[in-house]
Amino acid sequence: MTDQHQKIVALVDGSIYSASVCDHAAWIASRTGAPVELIHVLGRREASDTHDHSGAIALGARTALMEQLAELDAQRAKLISHRGRAILDDAQALLEKAGVTEVTTRLRLGDIVEAVADVEADARVILIGKRGEAADFAKGHLGSNLERIIRASHKPVFVASRAFKPISKVLVAYDGGASAMKAVDHIARSPLFQGLSVHVVTVGTATPEVTKGLVDASAMLKAAGIEAETSVLPGQPETALAKLVEEAQFDMLVMGAYGHSRIRSLIIGSTTTAMIRSCKVPVVLMR
């Protein structure tokens, strides 16, 4: 399958981010010509209609009560399924209104990471909102499945911001690691980035090794027809990058993701998680 025919896989859950996911999918489709597949995943627990109530009912309860509870469970499962289909129908309508002609929908039952794993071979990008339906906005929590998907996916993961804004300026965070080089290679190969203003930055000290890395990244992009500026920024990546995105008004951040283990991330924190949480623009992550 050629890149042009690989799908944009967009995950929608009915949260406030779903409309933004659709708008970003339409933008990517308009620049790449790729079809869009919308996926809504019903968790096994919420969709199950086979709950066993026998252990929760005291001795003497009538069989009729158990039958009524089972019927209520079945009705609930049907309503959740209908709601999932309605979410997909609404998302499809948004994409078609935006001019996307190739849109398919898929209602899945099970784990969302397993659902992504099943379709990512045919995907050019996985698109998901920064926060899901159950996230605690007041505490700045990210979606509970976001990190799991980013860690498991072999394709770029596009994390949509809360609202879509036209994208013309792209910041690439480059640390010389494998995932950062993969990100630059992806930008060079993808029609998505053609014609956009691209700036590659390394946070740290301008050593000869860092300078050479930026020169190599710039050369790779130039060979693909992308004239990229480069710079070295002092400070800590979490704060320096977020400040640069805000002050220079970049529209999108591209970076490598989760270069360290979960245990190390738990102890010292994760640059990836901090960047997704603090940036108000979409973040594209490569592993």
Side-chain angles (χ1 to χ4, degrees):
M1 180 175 287
T2 64
D3 285 350
Q4 185 178 359
H5 293 93
Q6 287 189 313
K7 300 171 184 173
I8 301 161
V9 172
L11 303 169
V12 290
D13 65 355
S15 72
I16 195 170
Y17 279 82
S18 289
S20 174
V21 167
C22 293
D23 290 339
H24 284 94
W27 177 73
I28 297 171
S30 70
R31 295 183 63 83
T32 62
V36 179
E37 178 158 272
L38 294 161
I39 297 180
H40 178 70
V41 180
L42 303 174
R44 291 190 180 90
R45 187 173 179 180
E46 64 176 337
S48 173
D49 60 354
T50 57
H51 291 173
D52 180 4
H53 294 289
S54 58
I57 298 177
L59 290 174
R62 296 177 182 274
T63 301
L65 177 57
M66 296 176 68
E67 290 176 348
Q68 288 176 8
L69 289 171
E71 185 178 343
L72 285 173
D73 277 346
Q75 291 176 356
R76 176 176 173 275
K78 286 180 181 176
L79 287 173
I80 290 173
S81 179
H82 289 328
R83 177 178 177 273
R85 176 49 58 189
I87 288 170
L88 288 170
D89 289 345
D90 287 349
Q92 182 173 10
L94 282 176
L95 285 166
E96 290 175 346
K97 186 178 179 181
V100 183
T101 55
E102 292 185 77
V103 184
T104 55
T105 62
R106 189 182 298 206
L107 185 62
R108 286 283 305 252
L109 171 64
D111 182 76
I112 192 168
V113 175
E114 293 174 3
V116 170
D118 286 345
V119 300
E120 73 167 352
D122 296 334
R124 65 183 303 132
V125 63
I126 309 298
L127 183 51
I128 184 173
K130 182 191 293 189
R131 294 187 174 89
E133 192 177 28
D136 189 337
F137 283 78
K139 295 180 180 178
H141 287 167
L142 301 175
S144 59
N145 291 310
L146 182 58
E147 181 175 341
R148 294 176 62 226
I149 291 172
I150 294 169
R151 285 188 180 277
S153 178
H154 298 88
K155 295 297 177 71
V157 177
F158 190 116
V159 183
S161 50
R162 186 165 179 169
F164 175 78
K165 293 169 70 174
I167 295 169
S168 61
K169 289 181 65 178
V170 179
L171 180 66
V172 183
Y174 187 83
D175 64 2
S179 58
M181 288 190 277
K182 193 174 177 181
V184 172
D185 180 65
H186 174 72
I187 292 171
R189 293 172 182 271
S190 173
L192 181 66
F193 297 91
Q194 289 292 327
L196 301 182
S197 171
V198 176
H199 187 115
V200 185
V201 64
T202 296
V203 179
T205 304
T207 63
E209 184 180 6
V210 166
T211 302
K212 182 179 183 306
L214 288 173
V215 169
D216 291 346
S218 177
M220 182 182 292
L221 294 172
K222 187 174 183 178
I226 299 173
E227 293 287 346
E229 296 182 0
T230 62
S231 63
V232 180
L233 201 62
Q236 295 298 316
E238 301 93 305
T239 52
L241 289 172
K243 186 178 178 183
L244 181 60
V245 168
E246 186 79 17
E247 292 183 348
Q249 299 185 337
F250 283 99
D251 304 311
M252 184 163 68
L253 173 67
V254 181
M255 60 183 290
Y258 295 116
H260 304 295
S261 69
R262 285 181 181 275
I263 293 174
R264 189 171 188 271
S265 294
L266 285 171
I267 295 171
I268 66 172
S270 161
T271 300
T272 305
T273 301
M275 291 309 306
I276 299 172
R277 185 180 288 127
S278 62
C279 281
K280 297 176 183 175
V281 300
V283 180
V284 180
L285 298 158
M286 306 285 298
R287 291 206 73 217

